[in-house]
Amino acid sequence: MKQIIGGARPPASPRAAQVTVGEQSDGQRLDNFLIRELKGVPKTHVYRIIRSGEVRLNKGRAAADTRVAAGDVVRLPPVRVAERASQTPGMVAPAREFPVLFEDEHLLAIDKPAGVAVHGGSGVSFGVIEQLRRARPQAKFLELVHRLDRETSGILLVAKRRSALTKLQDQFRERDMGKTYLALVQGVWPAQRKVIDQPLHKYLLADGERRVKVVAKDDPDGMRAVTLVRPCAVIPAQAAIQGLSGGCSLLEVTIKTGRTHQIRVHVASQGHPILGDDKYGDFELNRLLARNGLKRMFLHAWRLQFSHPASLERIELTSPLPAELQKFLDHVRPPA
């Protein structure tokens, strides 16, 4: 049985399926193709079935970054969708626009708020991309170029043409795109610590929630991750902020690789977790900070530099700190 992508999708089955790639998916990476088609399946599982060879492209094994073409046949092994996603098959994403930082006929750059997932799946019924498509029914093509954690705010790129998607994702893969974040971390960051080059490994907790940890350089499951850090300011805590007796540091963090939770895990591994991080942070401190106004993780996708996919002009976009983060930063800074 062959299924043409874009038609009605059959329910999950214990049997493998043969899926034929449609024109609208021509040139897409295999991992992104699968993530979109296997709604509700955790990304960690998608990458696992690719690595294990259970996914076949034209009867052969393929890597996650392989480009699929219209007419290719992809074998999908039997998978189970996330329970919550399978329980809400009829839920429709509400139409929503987001603040626009840049837009032309090729791409859209928006300012994503914290607390909003970029796409549906893994227990989330819908995200930014589904809401944008709902708000723009006339748009023939809208696809995420990259991703941000749900808890992270800031610049998010969306392609409006297949050619733009391919060229922008190529820039990410070839490390030709500059992604810089602002992070407020616990303690005083050493001025000489500028590069973190430590492999990361994704794993699942007993309840199925995804986590990432630093592993040894020779770990076969480790993926190389490189993070550049530049301290902007060391902020001694005011007496009113309990728990921050060692102060905190505002960092500019540029990632040279795009691993899951990379910044959060890398800085936490150095003994300086991001304030408000509910996965890798200081949980007791986070509760104290919430009472002082910080009710989210202090991580913001601040600057993005890339070459325009059509004109090749170098573009630099910036997103100011959201009001709630700026207010907290002003609160902990000592009076001038």
Side-chain angles (χ1 to χ4, degrees):
M1 178 184 71
K2 290 186 179 180
Q3 175 194 358
I4 302 298
I5 296 302
R9 190 175 294 112
S13 164
R15 298 179 180 179
Q18 301 292 326
V19 177
T20 301
V21 178
E23 290 289 342
Q24 68 271 39
S25 297
D26 184 66
Q28 194 170 29
R29 282 171 53 122
L30 177 61
D31 53 355
N32 292 328
F33 174 80
L34 294 174
I35 287 167
R36 183 169 183 186
E37 295 310 316
L38 297 175
K39 297 293 187 185
V41 177
K43 286 191 289 184
T44 51
H45 187 67
V46 169
Y47 285 103
R48 187 179 303 128
I49 60 178
I50 294 174
R51 288 196 304 268
S52 68
E54 295 175 75
V55 173
R56 295 278 170 159
L57 180 61
N58 299 325
K59 299 185 178 180
R61 294 177 71 120
D65 60 356
T66 301
R67 302 284 178 179
V68 300
D72 282 350
V73 178
V74 180
R75 177 193 181 273
L76 301 181
V79 292
R80 292 181 60 189
V81 299
E83 183 178 353
R84 181 176 171 187
S86 64
Q87 289 175 343
T88 56
M91 184 170 288
V92 176
R96 181 179 179 183
E97 288 280 2
F98 298 87
V100 174
L101 299 171
F102 177 90
E103 183 172 11
D104 63 11
E105 65 271 26
H106 300 278
L107 63 97
L108 167 67
I110 65 169
D111 204 349
K112 186 190 87 69
V116 182
V118 295
H119 60 76
S122 299
V124 178
S125 298
F126 52 81
V128 168
I129 193 63
E130 290 86 4
Q131 294 178 85
L132 273 176
R133 288 172 183 152
R134 187 77 173 170
R136 301 180 175 213
Q138 76 285 357
K140 296 181 179 179
F141 187 92
L142 287 174
E143 290 284 354
L144 292 167
V145 175
H146 61 115
R147 290 168 174 79
L148 291 177
D149 288 347
R150 184 175 185 173
E151 302 90 345
T152 305
S153 55
I155 305 171
L156 182 67
L157 280 187
V158 177
K160 297 171 69 174
R161 294 185 179 183
R162 170 65 60 188
S163 57
L165 177 67
T166 301
K167 290 176 182 177
L168 290 168
Q169 287 183 335
D170 284 345
Q171 290 184 52
F172 271 105
R173 187 175 62 256
E174 294 163 7
R175 304 181 186 180
D176 196 30
M177 189 172 286
K179 294 176 66 178
T180 302
Y181 295 70
L182 293 177
L184 192 64
V185 303
Q186 185 177 355
V188 177
W189 187 273
Q192 73 276 12
R193 191 173 301 161
K194 299 178 181 179
V195 180
I196 306 172
D197 185 354
Q198 295 177 317
L200 299 176
H201 170 61
K202 290 187 286 188
Y203 64 99
L204 296 178
L205 299 177
D207 61 2
E209 191 172 354
R210 177 180 55 185
R211 285 292 189 275
V212 180
K213 63 182 178 181
V214 168
V215 295
K217 298 266 186 194
D218 57 354
D219 192 304
D221 294 321
M223 300 288 287
R224 191 184 182 196
V226 180
T227 302
L228 309 182
V229 180
R230 187 179 81 84
C232 296
V234 173
I235 303 167
Q238 295 177 340
I241 306 297
Q242 297 179 356
L244 274 179
S245 57
C248 53
S249 301
L250 182 65
L251 309 178
E252 283 185 20
V253 185
T254 300
I255 54 174
K256 307 304 287 186
T257 51
R259 308 302 180 200
T260 301
H261 298 171
Q262 177 174 327
I263 295 175
R264 302 165 68 175
V265 176
H266 265 175
V267 297
S269 74
Q270 304 299 304
H272 300 278
I274 295 175
L275 300 186
D277 188 341
D278 64 354
K279 288 184 170 63
Y280 309 100
D282 183 326
F283 308 129
E284 194 63 40
L285 174 59
N286 288 345
R287 282 194 285 271
L288 294 171
L289 296 177
R291 293 203 288 267
N292 283 277
L294 185 64
K295 302 181 186 300
R296 53 159 289 197
M297 178 172 63
F298 202 118
L299 182 62
H300 179 68
W302 167 59
R303 184 174 65 202
L304 189 64
Q305 300 162 308
F306 60 95
S307 297
H308 191 279
S311 69
L312 302 182
E313 176 188 1
R314 196 67 179 170
I315 293 175
E316 177 176 310
L317 303 176
T318 57
S319 164
L321 276 176
E324 70 275 13
L325 295 188
Q326 186 63 56
K327 183 177 179 181
F328 180 79
L329 188 61
D330 294 340
H331 183 45
V332 298
R333 276 177 169 155

